[in-house]
Amino acid sequence: MSFTIAIDGPAAAGKGTISRAVAEHFGFAHLDTGLLYRATGRRTLGGTDPVEAARTLAAADLEADDLRSPEVAQAASRVAALPDVRQALLDFQRAFAARGGGAVLDGRDIGTVICPEAEVKLFVTASDEVRARRRHKELVEKGHDITYDEVMADLRARDARDSARATAPLKPAEDATQLDTSEMTIATAIETAIGIVQARL
Ligand code: C5P
């Protein structure tokens, strides 16, 4: 039997951390769908056509060192606006969700397009300032030479592009539970998410 948890929201709201912790708590598999778009975007920086890059994505592409860089994030959000790129990545995501034993998928359109029948849907948000502060800290810790203002500009540009695109825009599913993590510690956000899932199991 499959049990799917869809976790969507804007960049750096805490989706990744919450998704990993929820998956670990319940013993479910986890797919960070942003990685698929990042790996596709990264290949286009090397000159590959976006649709071709998405269609021929290989496991090794998902392990590249610089997938978390702001340049790759921007490239990801550009290719993510192309319907044929999204179509090329759809089957893999649905098959992942349908595997037995439970799955957590995080992204932008999991609850609306990829898994509209998901048993649990969360839409994770945080204020722009909180998101930029968290992502800036994360990037600096990884050795990136980037200012808070540059991080804020990257997040806002991506959110604007992700929300405005015609295909699978960033928006909460009608039946999603909203989780604003602005005033929460990571531990509280994780606990709250686990509680919401537990209530639906
Ligand atoms: O989640 P992450 O920040 O790694 O995603 C990178 C980019 O990939 C996003 O800005 C968005 O444009 C795109 N994306 C998407 N749909 C998803 C996941 C990510 O469009 N399900």
Side-chain angles (χ1 to χ4, degrees), residues 81-164:
L82 303 172
D84 288 350
V85 165
R86 307 198 70 85
Q87 185 62 38
L89 300 174
L90 188 86
D91 288 348
F92 177 77
Q93 296 173 80
R94 287 209 175 133
F96 189 94
R99 53 194 271 160
V104 181
L105 285 83
D106 74 283
R108 303 292 187 289
D109 63 338
I110 309 302
T112 51
V113 175
I114 306 294
C115 304
E117 310 295 333
E119 278 75 11
V120 182
K121 297 181 185 179
L122 294 181
F123 196 80
V124 182
T125 58
S127 70
D128 289 5
E129 288 70 24
V130 167
R131 294 188 296 123
R133 203 162 60 229
R134 287 180 188 160
R135 183 52 55 90
H136 181 241
K137 183 165 176 278
E138 205 176 286
L139 288 169
V140 168
E141 279 169 6
K142 279 193 193 145
H144 287 278
D145 180 18
I146 190 165
T147 65
Y148 169 87
D149 287 348
E150 285 166 342
V151 173
M152 179 69 96
D154 167 61
L155 297 184
R156 285 190 167 147
R158 284 201 287 140
D159 290 347
R161 212 183 276 126
D162 292 345
S163 304

